[in-house]
Amino acid sequence: MKPSTLLTFTFAFLVFTPWQVLAYTSSAQPNILVIISDDAGYSDFSFSGEANFNTPNIDSISQKGVHFPQGYVSASVCSPSRAGLMTGRNQQRFGYFDNLPRKVPEIYSPEYAGLPASEITLAEALQQQGYQTAAIGKWHLGYGEKFHPNVQGFDYFYGIESGSRSYWPNKKGLGPAQENMTTVKDEGYFTDTLTDKAINYLNKQGEQPFFMYLSYTAPHTPLHAKPEHLAMFADIQDKKRRALAAMTYSLDQNIGRVLKNLNDKGIDKNTLIFFLNDNGGTESNSAGNRPLTGYKGTVLEGGLRVPYAVSWPAQIKAGQVVNMPASSLDIFATAVAAAGGELAKDREYDGINLLPVMTGKSAAVERTLFWKRHGYAAVRQGDFKLIRLSDRPALLFNVNEDAGEHINLAEKHPDKVKAMLKALWQWERKHQHAKWQTKKNFNNEYIEKLDRAFKQVSQ
């Protein structure tokens, strides 16, 4: 090709090729979007379970990227799970064992009831890489200015500090909505409102990359669904289950609105998206966890394994299913690496960068994951998971082959039980003491519910 011809071709390519294509092939920092649902069941999204509900928009994230069927969170209840995600560190390292107390008892200092300022949040890490940052939805990492998203690395916040509230305006809830640090008037159905705020934020973005933490409250209780959506699921006899279906439909539709906005702007290909739930499905909203046993609050798979999908069309091949354990703790390391940053050297991180696996540059990684809540703890090493109980011998399962934890292998592998108990003890030595404990820790009815779940797999 003659130099003049090459120059003409290059000029025509730059003028007539949509900038979206250039963005797809460039090494520009990706936008980063973390979408998290609340208290949903493992099998209540059609990409992750038994297709109980049809969720085409959420499914599209896995279809355009990677589905991790063995996705985990770092805790089986909302607040500590979010603390792990936001820091990339097992939250027990900084004494964050349980949900926040709604009112801090006098024996605890209020300064302890939230995510410590000494922790580096994902928002703070990405700000260092030049990102604009936004948190929209449920925060649940501390109340008051000391723990507010605006002082934890987020330039913009719209949502609630508490763990749940009414989906309808002007109804009694656990906390009013805020825009940054100002209380604002409720606007419409809460799932819709959060999406409106997210899209409004996206519409104001320029060329600077953004990180958005889009934390929906759906389908956490209260079970408030739109009447027109309830009518769509009239064939479901269980009233709670019907409301859950309607709320999940609304959640999927709203996530679809966000994804369409990214596509309309031509920035979808260079946006790294994570979708997951904050913990296992709960009995209180009739969530479905099949084929897993257990539910929110336990260290059984039904409390810890969650729907987990990642997409980044510019870098990640579509349609992958990676059958290795992935953790919510990995979001921090993966996002920072994608942004071109490095993890802080002054602390240990428990998550890993998933990009080498998702881009095919590395094989699946064998790893160790830990969990602890109340008198129960668990460790997964490779395919095996050990559960240490407070009042009976430890349980051992091959959760790659037996996700429902039905076959106790402890007597068959006593050496493995001993080694994994030792690993668990060594992990616990790194913990700080719990900064607070909620009344629910000592509620006999709650402990009995946990016991029943464990007896299902130990009989």
Side-chain angles (χ1 to χ4, degrees), residues 301-316:
E301 293 291 281
L304 299 168
R305 193 185 291 202
V306 297
Y308 197 126
V310 187
S311 69
W312 184 10
Q315 298 291 336
I316 298 173

Side-chain angles (χ1 to χ4, degrees), residues 359-378:
T359 56
K361 296 178 181 178
S362 171
V365 177
E366 186 168 303
R367 59 195 306 200
T368 301
L369 297 172
F370 298 95
W371 302 274
K372 185 175 182 180
R373 185 163 193 259
H374 300 165
Y376 307 106

Side-chain angles (χ1 to χ4, degrees), residues 92-412:
Q92 291 89 350
R93 287 185 180 274
F94 44 91
Y96 209 125
F97 283 76
D98 208 348
N99 270 337
L100 292 169
R102 296 180 184 177
K103 182 178 180 182
V104 181
E106 292 182 1
I107 59 173
Y108 296 105
S109 172
E111 67 185 81
Y112 290 135
L115 186 63
S118 57
E119 290 301 310
I120 300 171
T121 68
L122 179 54
E124 289 169 328
L126 292 175
Q127 279 181 331
Q128 293 298 312
Q129 300 304 312
Y131 279 69
Q132 287 288 316
T133 58
I136 295 174
K138 173 175 172 174
W139 179 238
H140 209 201
L141 288 172
Y143 305 109
E145 185 172 340
K146 183 180 179 67
F147 302 108
H148 198 275
N150 289 147
V151 299
Q152 296 273 25
F154 287 98
D155 302 310
Y156 176 77
F157 171 67
Y158 180 93
I160 57 172
E161 292 181 284
S162 59
S164 64
R165 55 151 287 162
S166 171
Y167 288 80
W168 302 110
N170 302 316
K171 299 285 186 180
K172 183 179 180 181
L174 296 180
Q178 296 180 13
E179 189 157 28
N180 296 319
M181 291 187 180
T182 302
T183 299
V184 294
K185 184 178 179 180
D186 286 343
E187 303 173 28
Y189 189 67
F190 199 52
T191 306
D192 294 342
T193 300
L194 295 180
T195 304
D196 293 342
K197 297 298 180 180
I199 290 175
N200 184 58
Y201 178 85
L202 293 173
N203 287 340
K204 294 179 179 178
Q205 295 309 297
E207 296 182 0
Q208 189 174 1
F210 66 82
F211 162 52
M212 179 182 288
Y213 175 62
L214 181 51
S215 175
Y216 287 101
T217 56
H220 193 292
T221 54
L223 292 173
H224 293 169
K226 292 183 177 181
E228 62 268 30
H229 293 164
L230 281 170
M232 296 171 60
F233 300 96
D235 58 322
I236 299 178
Q237 298 302 308
D238 183 329
K239 290 184 178 180
K240 286 186 177 181
R241 188 77 182 157
R242 187 188 314 151
L244 179 72
M247 294 171 72
T248 303
Y249 175 82
S250 177
L251 175 68
D252 184 72
Q253 293 293 301
N254 275 282
I255 290 175
R257 291 172 57 203
V258 175
L259 299 179
K260 182 178 184 300
N261 183 271
L262 296 175
N263 182 71
D264 290 346
K265 288 179 168 50
I267 59 175
D268 56 315
K269 292 183 173 59
N270 199 37
T271 299
L272 172 60
I273 302 176
F274 299 86
F275 173 81
L276 73 165
N277 193 58
D278 65 341
N279 46 246
T282 177
E283 292 180 310
S284 63
N285 65 4
S286 292
N289 285 334
R290 293 187 303 271
L292 311 177
T293 301
Y295 38 79
K296 175 181 179 178
T298 74
V299 292
L300 291 162
E301 293 291 281
L304 299 168
R305 193 185 291 202
V306 297
Y308 197 126
V310 187
S311 69
W312 184 10
Q315 298 291 336
I316 298 173
K317 182 181 177 181
Q320 299 182 68
V321 178
V322 177
N323 200 34
M324 64 165 264
S327 171
S328 57
L329 299 171
D330 302 335
I331 291 174
F332 192 110
T334 305
V336 170
E342 295 183 356
L343 300 179
K345 307 295 185 184
D346 65 343
R347 63 199 63 209
E348 290 185 75
Y349 286 89
D350 298 298
I352 64 173
N353 174 13
L354 294 174
L355 289 175
V357 173
M358 295 191 295
T359 56
K361 296 178 181 178
S362 171
V365 177
E366 186 168 303
R367 59 195 306 200
T368 301
L369 297 172
F370 298 95
W371 302 274
K372 185 175 182 180
R373 185 163 193 259
H374 300 165
Y376 307 106
V379 53
R380 174 167 178 173
Q381 290 182 327
D383 291 340
F384 286 90
K385 178 182 169 189
L386 176 138
I387 298 177
R388 189 189 67 200
L389 305 169
S390 60
D391 58 350
R392 61 187 77 97
L395 307 171
L396 181 70
F397 305 100
N398 183 325
V399 289
N400 188 41
E401 298 177 356
D402 176 26
E405 297 169 296
H406 298 301
I407 304 172
N408 182 10
L409 303 172
E411 291 186 6
K412 187 176 181 179

